[in-house]
């Protein structure tokens, strides 16, 4: 008997022709949970990977959303992130799954994203060095694992712990954008034993792309260390 | 965190690796060979009173205790705290969580653990809600002198009067306090079983005992808390349920949802389990284990039920456990019997956005009568289909289900009469008492409506003495065995009740 990775409901095994020919791998989530996930496909922002249908046309220029254009206008962060690809819209279902994985500590849930993560990696970033977004030492100990590292492990390729994180900053909501960006810049450090990254394409892995500030702060460090390009994959957007 | 075993005063003890020189071979907690806790020595040990209070009768993780590892380890060395395994491995595919009792292989998983630095550290996926427990995390237990609860005299200030049937049951229960063993208190819906418990609980408080009343549902706890606080005004009573703020978990008298029992080990002298037959208790054997774990060995375990399972009934009949029986409602009137009303292929009708005619007539009559009503439906899907159809007849009608974010507001609105008819899945079937209420079930033949559920549902009607009868109608598309058994059950109860008067 198989059970849904998330809600533990018994999975009803409906065998279809595709299964017989091995054309489709079964999801580890049950139908209800799987249907709750909204895949990002079709037209999306070529910067942050946000689905076009989710924001009105006046908030983008050509294929790029205004948020991304704003980032590109910032002297420090311009050209830092090549592109972000996210698997699913960060809706209620995905929020619940990620919260259970991160805050309840159910590391096993990362496996539910393996198939799609591998697909995105091989399609867009094949051969890129995989770098999970780190947690601070204290947070990492408290949680027992780093969810970004778990997701990176799902790719079944070697990954690099090239970054370290200083500490987890307090809620940033009260600061101005420029203050935030200044602090942001110092969130990550390059690990002391990292070889020169000249000529390396990197892909960062994280659970969610929210404002893009975390991903860009990490990308900036890799770029400064000589990386040729930095992209990212996240589960949610 | 990794640990070592070392010799101290001729005994093998364990110690955190931070407390010993670095040449020792430190391993994860679950890889340590067996070790013992040093004996407690009353002459030399001053008791850490706060820890004693917080940890007595509990099983907690290091992260749940606001003390340094050094403090806790000292208490271990003084023989007051045991560091115990949290997940035991019995075989390659057989683990057991010693906190929640889970043994389903599917509900364990491995991860590369940053705490113990092992690559396949096993954790339990069943009790994540209480904070993740991995095999490298010890469970801490107080094994020093137990916390001395006071003897509370004259704790019971309740002024109400018991019926003769209630009085008899109440006296019986009181006489059994501190005898240990198991007791079935079988009371029909509306018998007033809460008041029957008061005297026994008062006796236990007098005897310095620790008491817990556990119910599978939060609603019931929320309803009982003020009643208990009024009855025992001088006693600190803790209400523990999912989503409540950190409470006085070490209170002498606790009202808790059954799930909260996982937090306790050998804690209670008197443990009362409400609605033993109720979902989800009867379906989840780990909850049963939690009950046995939470009580002290010599505790008195009381099962409260209106519809005890066959197994419990048999145990009582064979005198393997004491049984107290209250076959009459407190107002002395018989239980209303359900009537069966065939209503055709109701699922197809709902699909076509139509109400079954008999149900529609019932609703119109109901609204004219000025009385309130519960309409039970078998699933959330049915609820979502039917509520809009009902709303077109009366816009105040609301549906409520377990995960409904507005559940409590809606239940409140029903209680104060703003909602005349409330449509619900089985969650409200117990514990909610509102006078002048009728009851209907749509799709009573569905599997989810087992005998005990239907008995409980029927028991929602006629609970108050101003309105002792009430209408109970089961709308169905073909009678089920459970429907007939439920009706038989109620007839039988009424017969026994008549004998008593
Ligand atoms: Zn599911
Ligand atoms: Zn964008
Ligand atoms: Zn467990
Ligand atoms: Zn571990």
């Amino acid at each position: 008997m198989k059970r849904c990775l998330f809600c533990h409901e018994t999975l009803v095994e409906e065998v279809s022709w595709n299964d017989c020919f091995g054309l489709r791998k079964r999801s580890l989530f049950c139908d209800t949970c799987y249907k709750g996930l909204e895949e990002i496909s079709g037209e999306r922002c070529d910067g942050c990977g946000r689905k076009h249908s989710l924001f009105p046309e006046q908030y983008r220029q050509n294929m790029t959303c205004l948020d991304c254009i704003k980032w590109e206008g910032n002297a420090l962060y311009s050209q830092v992130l090549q592109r972000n690809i996210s698997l699913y819209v960060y809706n209620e279902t995905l929020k619940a799954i990620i919260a259970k994985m991160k805050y309840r500590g159910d590391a096993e849930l990362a496996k539910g994203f393996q198939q799609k993560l591998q697909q995105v990696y091989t399609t867009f970033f094949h051969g890129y060095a995989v770098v999970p977004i780190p947690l601070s030492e204290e947070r990492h100990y408290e949680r027992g694992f780093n969810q970004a590292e778990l997701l990176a492990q799902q790719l079944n390729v070697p990954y690099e712990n090239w970054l370290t994180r200083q500490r987890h900053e307090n809620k940033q909501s009260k600061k101005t954008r420029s203050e935030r960006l200044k602090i942001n810049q110092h969130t990550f450090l390059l690990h002391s034993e990292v070889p020169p990254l000249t000529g390396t394409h990197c892909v960062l892995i994280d659970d969610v792309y929210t404002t893009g500030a975390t991903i860009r702060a990490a990308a900036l460090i890799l770029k400064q260390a000589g990386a040729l390009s930095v992209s990212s994959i996240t589960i949610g957007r | 965190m990794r640990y070592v075993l070392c010799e101290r005063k001729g005994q093998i003890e364990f110690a955190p690796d931070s407390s010993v020189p670095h040449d020792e071979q430190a391993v994860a907690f679950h890889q340590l060979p067996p070790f013992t806790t040093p004996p407690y020595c009353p002459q030399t040990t001053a008791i850490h009173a706060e820890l004693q209070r917080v940890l007595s009768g509990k099983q907690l993780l290091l992260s749940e205790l606001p003390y340094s590892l050094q403090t806790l380890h000292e208490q271990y060395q003084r023989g007051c705290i045991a560091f115990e395994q949290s997940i035991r491995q019995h075989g390659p595919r057989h683990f057991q969580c010693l906190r929640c009792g889970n043994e389903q292989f599917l509900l364990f998983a491995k991860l590369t653990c940053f705490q113990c630095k092992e690559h396949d550290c096993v954790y339990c996926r069943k009790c994540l809600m209480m904070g993740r427990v991995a095999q490298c995390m010890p469970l801490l237990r107080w094994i020093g002198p137990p916390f001395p609860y006071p003897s509370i005299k004259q704790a019971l200030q309740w002024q109400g009067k018991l019926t003769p049937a209630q009085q008899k049951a109440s006296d019986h229960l009181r006489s059994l306090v501190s005898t240990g063993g198991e007791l079935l208190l079988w009371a029909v819906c509306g018998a007033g079983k809460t008041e029957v418990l008061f005297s026994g609980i008062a006796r236990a408080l007098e005897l310095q005992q620790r008491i817990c009343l556990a119910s599978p549902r939060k609603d019931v706890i929320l309803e009982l808390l003020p009643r208990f606080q009024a009855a025992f005004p001088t006693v600190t009573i803790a209400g523990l349920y999912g989503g409540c703020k950190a409470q006085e978990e070490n209170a002498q008298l606790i009202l808790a949802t059954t799930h909260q029992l996982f937090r306790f080990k050998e804690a209670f002298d008197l443990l009362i389990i409400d609605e033993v037959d109720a979902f989800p208790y009867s379906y989840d054997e780990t909850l049963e284990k939690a009950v046995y774990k939470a009580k002290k060995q010599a505790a008195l375990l009381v099962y409260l039920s209106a519809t005890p399972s066959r197994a419990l009934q048999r145990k009582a009949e064979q005198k393997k456990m004491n049984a107290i029986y209250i076959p009459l409602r407190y107002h002395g009137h018989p239980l209303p019997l359900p009537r069966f009303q065939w209503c055709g292929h109701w699922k197809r009708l709902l699909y076509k956005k139509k109400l079954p005619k008999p149900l529609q007539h019932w609703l119109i009559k109901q609204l004219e009568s000025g009385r309130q009503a519960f309409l039970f439906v078998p699933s959330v899907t049915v609820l979502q289909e039917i509520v809009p159809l009902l709303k077109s007849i009366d816009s105040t009608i609301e549906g409520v289900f377990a995960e409904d974010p507005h559940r409590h507001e809606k239940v409140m609105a029903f209680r104060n009469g703003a909602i005349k008819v409330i449509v619900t899945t089985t969650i409200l079937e117990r514990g909610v008492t509102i006078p002048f209420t009728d009851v209907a079930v749509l799709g009573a033949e569905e599997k989810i409506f087992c005998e005990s559920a239907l008995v409980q549902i029927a028991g929602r009607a006629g609970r108050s003495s101003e309105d002792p009868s009430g209408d109970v109608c089961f709308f169905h598309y073909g009678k089920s065995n459970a429907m007939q058994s439920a009706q038989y059950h109620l007839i039988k109860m009424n017969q026994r009740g008549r004998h008593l008067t």
Side-chain angles (χ1 to χ4, degrees):
Chain A
M1 187 177 60
K2 284 191 181 140
R3 282 176 182 275
C4 171
L5 198 57
F6 178 62
C7 70
H8 299 182
E9 279 297 312
T10 315
L11 289 185
V12 188
E13 299 273 348
E14 288 164 23
V15 180
S16 73
W17 283 109
N18 281 352
D19 294 324
C20 296
F21 295 121
L23 292 177
R24 191 180 68 135
K25 270 203 180 164
R26 295 208 61 87
S27 166
L28 297 176
F29 297 119
C30 71
D31 280 356
T32 317
C33 294
Y34 189 76
K35 275 181 200 145
L37 291 173
E38 193 182 334
E39 215 171 287
I40 298 183
S41 55
E43 299 213 314
R44 53 176 110 188
C45 169
D46 52 17
C48 64
R50 183 157 37 163
K51 210 168 171 172
H52 273 179
S53 60
L54 291 183
F55 56 106
E57 201 152 353
Q58 65 261 35
Y59 293 113
R60 61 177 191 251
Q61 281 173 19
N62 302 322
M63 297 298 277
T64 314
C65 77
L66 291 188
D67 285 343
C68 288
I69 287 166
K70 205 165 172 189
W71 277 113
E72 290 311 315
N74 180 295
L76 188 60
Y77 287 105
S78 171
Q79 303 287 307
V80 160
L81 185 70
Q82 183 175 281
R83 73 181 307 189
N84 171 67
I85 303 271
S86 299
L87 307 185
Y88 301 106
V89 176
Y90 194 46
N91 62 10
E92 289 309 315
T93 304
L94 186 63
K95 257 183 213 163
I97 295 177
I98 289 180
K100 193 173 179 196
M101 174 168 80
K102 267 164 81 167
Y103 305 120
R104 296 279 174 213
D106 198 3
E108 189 74 358
L109 289 173
K111 289 188 183 161
F113 302 110
Q114 177 164 49
Q115 206 185 319
K116 295 235 72 189
L117 278 170
Q118 289 185 355
Q119 202 182 321
V120 167
Y121 179 72
T122 44
T123 315
F124 296 97
F125 308 113
H126 191 74
Y128 283 32
V130 176
V131 184
I133 296 284
L135 293 179
S136 67
E137 184 83 6
E138 303 82 53
R139 183 68 55 86
H140 197 167
Y141 187 84
E142 212 177 272
R143 198 167 285 170
F145 60 86
N146 170 6
Q147 70 279 0
E149 198 172 337
L150 279 178
L151 294 169
Q153 283 164 2
Q154 304 307 317
L155 297 175
N156 279 336
V157 297
Y159 62 89
E160 313 289 350
N161 285 322
W162 283 340
L163 297 172
T164 58
R165 194 173 194 148
Q166 297 285 75
R167 66 191 141 68
H168 279 82
E169 45 294 316
N170 297 325
K171 280 263 173 285
Q172 299 192 346
S173 45
K174 288 211 180 85
K175 302 190 179 79
T176 65
R177 182 176 152 93
S178 69
E179 277 172 329
R180 277 202 305 267
L181 291 181
K182 213 173 214 159
I183 297 167
N184 199 37
Q185 204 183 321
H186 303 292
T187 307
F188 299 101
L189 285 177
L190 201 64
H191 201 280
S192 51
E193 287 148 32
V194 175
L197 299 183
T198 325
T200 315
H201 292 285
C202 300
V203 61
L204 291 160
I205 310 287
D206 205 2
D207 50 355
V208 191
Y209 181 113
T210 318
T211 61
T214 309
I215 297 265
R216 279 186 175 78
L220 182 65
I221 305 296
L222 295 176
K223 282 287 267 196
Q224 286 168 348
L228 201 57
S229 79
V230 183
S231 300
S232 60
I233 306 177
T234 69
I235 303 298
R237 173 70 184 96
Chain B
M1 179 74 54
R2 289 166 79 88
Y3 301 89
V4 292
L5 289 188
C6 51
E7 206 185 308
R8 190 171 148 271
K9 296 182 191 160
Q11 274 197 331
I12 300 296
E13 289 184 4
F14 100 105
D17 63 349
S18 51
S19 70
V20 289
H22 276 294
D23 50 14
E24 301 277 358
Q25 275 294 309
V27 293
F29 187 81
H30 58 280
Q31 293 164 332
L32 286 173
F35 64 90
T36 52
T37 307
Y40 170 72
C41 177
Q43 285 83 29
T44 60
T45 315
I47 289 178
H48 191 309
E50 201 182 287
L51 249 172
Q52 180 194 36
R53 197 170 61 92
V54 171
L55 199 54
S56 272
K58 299 271 198 48
Q59 242 185 337
L60 297 178
L61 299 170
L62 283 170
S63 56
E64 291 176 285
L65 286 162
Y67 304 95
S68 71
L69 182 61
Q70 196 196 341
T71 306
L72 296 168
H73 186 243
E74 261 169 41
Q75 292 297 313
Y76 159 81
Q77 289 182 322
R78 292 175 181 180
C80 285
I81 289 183
F83 281 66
E84 297 176 337
Q85 232 177 43
S86 52
I87 293 174
R88 191 174 289 157
Q89 181 159 16
H90 296 288
R93 287 171 63 84
H94 186 186
F95 294 94
Q96 182 188 13
C97 173
L98 295 182
R99 182 168 66 174
C100 75
N102 170 29
E103 287 188 60
Q104 285 185 67
F105 184 65
L106 276 169
L107 292 182
F108 289 95
K110 289 173 181 178
L111 75 124
T112 301
C113 177
F114 199 67
Q115 293 195 5
C116 68
K117 315 289 179 207
E118 293 295 324
H119 286 297
D120 39 21
C121 181
V122 174
Y123 70 94
C124 175
R125 300 185 69 209
K126 177 117 189 184
C127 56
L128 288 170
M129 292 306 283
M130 300 163 60
R132 188 168 62 94
V133 59
Q135 60 183 161
C136 66
M137 305 173 180
L139 285 172
L140 275 62
R141 204 151 68 80
W142 182 264
I143 55 167
F147 180 77
Y149 283 99
S151 166
I152 308 178
K153 302 206 170 67
Q154 265 104 50
L156 182 60
Q157 308 277 307
W158 185 68
Q159 300 291 333
K161 252 190 92 59
L162 297 175
T163 66
Q166 281 178 313
Q167 189 66 53
K168 203 170 144 217
S170 171
D171 293 346
H172 195 167
L173 172 63
R174 187 181 171 98
S175 73
L176 290 173
V177 167
S178 78
T179 57
E182 296 183 341
L183 166 70
L184 171 64
L185 206 167
W186 184 348
V188 295
C189 303
K193 56 189 159 107
T194 309
E195 294 79 13
V196 166
L197 302 174
F198 285 163
S199 171
I201 290 173
R203 175 75 184 136
L205 288 168
E206 214 174 290
L207 293 170
Q208 299 181 273
Q209 295 193 348
R210 198 173 181 192
I211 303 129
C212 177
L213 178 112
S215 166
R217 279 205 327 275
K218 188 167 138 184
D219 305 43
V220 177
I221 299 301
L222 290 174
E223 170 147 331
L224 289 182
L225 256 177
R227 290 169 67 187
F228 269 78
Q229 272 152 355
F232 298 99
T234 57
V235 181
T236 312
I237 304 174
L240 307 179
Y241 45 86
C244 72
K245 288 188 287 278
Q247 285 264 358
E248 278 285 302
E249 277 193 9
N250 45 287
Q252 193 164 353
L253 176 54
I254 288 177
L255 306 187
T257 52
T258 326
H259 275 97
Q260 299 293 320
L261 291 178
F262 285 128
R263 300 181 166 283
F264 296 91
K265 184 164 177 171
E266 293 170 24
F268 303 108
D269 306 276
L270 174 57
L271 180 51
I272 302 163
I273 311 293
D274 189 21
E275 303 174 358
V276 270
D277 50 302
F279 178 83
Y281 182 76
S282 48
Y283 299 119
D284 192 344
E285 54 168 309
T286 61
L287 281 175
E288 208 172 312
K289 290 181 192 162
V291 168
Y292 284 107
K293 197 183 75 170
K295 72 178 195 73
K296 285 186 185 159
Q297 216 135 58
L300 174 64
L301 180 56
V302 181
Y303 299 107
L304 286 187
S305 180
T307 52
S309 66
R310 295 258 184 274
L312 266 184
Q313 289 184 31
R314 215 169 301 125
K315 243 174 136 177
E317 276 161 21
Q318 294 167 352
K319 307 264 183 258
K320 284 182 184 153
M321 69 194 294
N322 282 304
I324 300 177
Y325 197 73
I326 317 178
L328 265 182
R329 300 188 139 189
Y330 76 95
H331 53 52
H333 294 274
L335 299 156
L337 296 179
R339 58 190 175 91
F340 297 161
Q341 173 65 58
W342 190 83
C343 70
H345 199 330
W346 54 272
K347 280 186 189 164
R348 190 163 59 203
L349 286 166
L350 290 185
Y351 182 75
K352 290 199 230 153
K353 307 229 177 304
K354 283 192 189 129
L355 285 173
K357 273 276 162 335
L359 182 71
Q360 199 174 338
H361 289 147
W362 172 85
L363 180 68
I364 289 166
K365 257 182 73 190
Q366 200 63 41
L367 292 168
E368 282 169 357
S369 75
R371 296 165 62 87
Q372 287 185 275
F374 289 108
L375 174 60
F376 290 88
V377 294
S379 70
V380 179
T381 322
V382 173
L383 184 134
Q384 282 162 344
E385 277 174 355
I386 201 169
V387 168
L389 302 178
L390 296 170
K391 267 186 178 295
S392 67
I393 297 178
D394 180 277
S395 60
T396 68
I397 294 175
E398 287 288 350
V400 60
F401 52 96
E403 282 87 31
D404 193 335
H406 304 295
R407 181 172 156 181
H408 287 283
E409 291 94 305
K410 287 178 186 169
V411 172
M412 280 313 287
F414 184 67
R415 280 190 192 189
N416 62 36
I419 296 177
K420 289 290 170 220
V421 176
I422 195 159
V423 188
T424 173
T425 50
T426 56
I427 48 140
L428 292 176
E429 77 198 30
R430 298 152 202 256
V432 178
T433 308
I434 297 153
F436 304 102
T437 306
D438 297 320
V439 177
V441 180
L442 175 65
E445 77 281 9
E446 291 282 292
K447 219 163 60 207
I448 187 153
F449 294 120
C450 60
E451 177 190 332
S452 74
L454 289 172
V455 169
Q456 294 279 0
I457 287 172
R460 292 295 96 202
R463 289 170 74 105
S464 84
S465 53
E466 310 118 81
D467 176 38
S469 46
D471 179 42
V472 180
C473 185
F474 292 172
F475 292 97
H476 65 92
Y477 182 50
K479 270 179 249 173
S480 69
N481 285 337
M483 287 166 65
Q484 270 152 343
S485 310
Q487 197 177 44
Y488 178 72
H489 183 133
L490 292 165
I491 291 172
K492 202 81 188 151
M493 292 273 208
N494 284 343
Q495 281 172 0
R496 291 206 210 193
R498 261 200 301 279
H499 276 294
L500 214 82
T501 46

